[in-house]
Amino acid sequence: MNDKAPPGEQLEPANPWPHVLLPPLHERVDSSATGGGSIRAVYEHGIEFIDQMGSIDGYMAAWMGTAALICLALGIWTLLDAPTAYPLHALWVFGLVLTLAVGRIDSVGYRYQPVLFDKQAQKVHLFSDLGTPWWEVWKLFGRTSFRVDSFDWESVRGEVAELQVLGGTNLPRKEYALMLAVTDRPGGTNVIARFGVGFTMGYDGGATQMGRWEHIRRYMRGEGPALAYGDALYVDESMGNWWGALTFAQPLLGPGSKAYWTGEALRGAWFLTIPVGLFMLVFLLPLTVPASLIRWLAHKGKGVPRWPDEIQASVGSSVDPPMGGPRASHAAIDYGKPIPQFTLKEKRARDKRRKQGLA
């Protein structure tokens, strides 16, 4: 993939994660291009990607809020059953205050921190939620201060980073993230900012992230559509209606449940998704219902990011995009010619051999 990159090319400071530095903007990295389900909105002259944490926004508020309800119920029961059990009373009060304090962190601010690609101005805009001081306990819901940073597209380099995350069974697993490294000038190596774009992915060797970078690269060069064929905008099903909110933590119920009944949500593994869904339904329904509703409430209380007027004027109004379309031709690139597909591990090995002068 990096055959055209200069031998030993690297950015400073380097990405702390194991990674592959993708070729410059004028070179393609993949024969396919897709947003990978991470595009939140399409504008007349821009596309907006949701951030990785935006996909799990509200989870902390949901489970901490549910824990607070449990502490409250146990505290009332202990008070009625054993009025003089002061240590237990203190324990439940402490648990109630702690869970509410932790849950509050996820109940203020903005629902996500998007990255906006402005094709008309050739800029990349990053929305950052600055949060609120811990001592402002009265701010239970609502917006917080924010910052918008704008960078020149010509100073951007793509990186596919290999992350170690905890899976559903608390066991570490590899996931791959698309990160943008912004240099101080076009073609430079001094990184002034670095941030992720869209969701991480596992089990594909970084292929989704390379396809996402290729989609962004083509779009910003006027060589591809805002939404690739077969791709779809990100939709938070928990916010659609009361039924979606109520069943958010129940895989086999509510909007999107078909993917779990058929196994499509886990590469066709219905023999895993159905038993897990039945376990959630039979044993955890009393917990998931209040958790889902608290998450819904936390989302409703948060603000939706709004871009400054000058940025909004540049990208135009939001549009309902078609499901992809024909790509514009470009004389310098033959998109009809396939290129080999490699895993991230193979690409890193190739880069290492190149630096050693072996390839």
Side-chain angles (χ1 to χ4, degrees), residues 210-238:
M210 286 182 286
R212 182 178 300 156
W213 166 255
E214 182 65 15
H215 176 76
I216 295 169
R217 192 192 69 81
R218 294 184 193 181
Y219 174 77
M220 291 295 284
R221 288 169 59 85
E223 300 164 5
L227 200 64
Y229 181 78
D231 204 357
L233 294 179
Y234 169 79
V235 177
D236 186 350
E237 297 288 358
S238 72

Side-chain angles (χ1 to χ4, degrees), residues 29-338:
V29 301
D30 205 272
S31 58
S32 62
T34 174
S38 293
I39 298 178
R40 199 208 67 84
V42 171
Y43 301 91
E44 293 175 295
H45 308 291
I47 50 177
E48 179 182 293
F49 282 79
I50 193 171
D51 64 303
Q52 166 67 11
M53 297 306 294
S55 64
I56 61 174
D57 183 69
Y59 283 170
M60 184 185 296
W63 297 114
M64 289 298 101
T66 304
L69 293 177
I70 294 174
C71 289
L72 179 62
L74 290 174
I76 294 175
W77 177 80
T78 303
L79 183 64
L80 296 176
D81 186 65
T84 58
Y86 301 116
L88 282 178
H89 299 166
L91 175 64
W92 298 129
V93 170
F94 175 76
L96 178 63
V97 172
L98 178 63
T99 51
L100 287 177
V102 175
R104 173 196 163 276
I105 299 173
D106 203 21
S107 301
V108 297
Y110 294 84
R111 297 180 192 172
Y112 44 86
Q113 301 182 72
V115 177
L116 175 62
F117 293 89
D118 185 344
K119 182 168 63 173
Q120 180 163 269
Q122 289 293 288
K123 295 282 188 178
V124 181
H125 308 290
L126 174 65
F127 187 101
S128 300
D129 186 347
L130 300 182
T132 182
W134 64 268
W135 46 266
E136 293 185 353
V137 295
W138 59 89
K139 291 187 177 180
L140 295 179
F141 299 100
R143 303 175 183 179
T144 58
S145 56
F146 67 92
R147 184 182 73 238
V148 174
D149 296 302
S150 298
F151 307 100
D152 291 331
W153 167 247
E154 291 296 326
S155 297
V156 169
R157 292 295 299 271
E159 298 175 327
V160 176
E162 181 183 284
L163 313 179
Q164 289 285 347
V165 301
L166 286 179
T169 57
N170 288 327
L171 294 176
R173 74 163 182 255
K174 292 180 182 179
E175 288 197 357
Y176 301 90
L178 172 62
M179 304 187 74
L180 300 189
V182 183
T183 59
D184 55 352
R185 58 182 175 81
T189 58
N190 181 34
V191 177
I192 60 175
R194 181 178 274 118
F195 48 90
V197 179
F199 303 143
T200 61
M201 283 287 188
Y203 312 113
D204 66 354
T208 298
Q209 308 304 341
M210 286 182 286
R212 182 178 300 156
W213 166 255
E214 182 65 15
H215 176 76
I216 295 169
R217 192 192 69 81
R218 294 184 193 181
Y219 174 77
M220 291 295 284
R221 288 169 59 85
E223 300 164 5
L227 200 64
Y229 181 78
D231 204 357
L233 294 179
Y234 169 79
V235 177
D236 186 350
E237 297 288 358
S238 72
M239 301 306 298
N241 51 51
W242 69 269
W243 180 239
L246 193 69
T247 60
F248 178 75
Q250 288 293 332
L252 302 183
L253 298 177
S257 60
K258 180 182 177 181
Y260 292 91
W261 282 106
T262 62
E264 295 175 12
L266 192 63
R267 296 178 176 268
W270 59 267
F271 50 88
L272 295 177
T273 58
I274 292 180
V276 171
L278 290 176
F279 175 83
M280 296 287 292
L281 179 62
V282 174
F283 296 101
L284 299 182
L285 185 64
L287 293 178
T288 62
V289 169
S292 298
L293 290 178
I294 291 172
R295 181 177 187 264
W296 180 82
L297 180 62
H299 269 201
K300 286 296 186 182
K302 286 189 172 186
V304 176
R306 303 295 184 193
W307 298 103
D309 292 342
E310 61 273 17
I311 294 178
Q312 194 65 63
S314 179
V315 298
S317 58
S318 178
V319 298
D320 186 15
M323 294 296 288
R327 289 189 293 263
S329 60
H330 191 271
I333 301 177
D334 178 13
Y335 286 124
K337 182 180 179 181

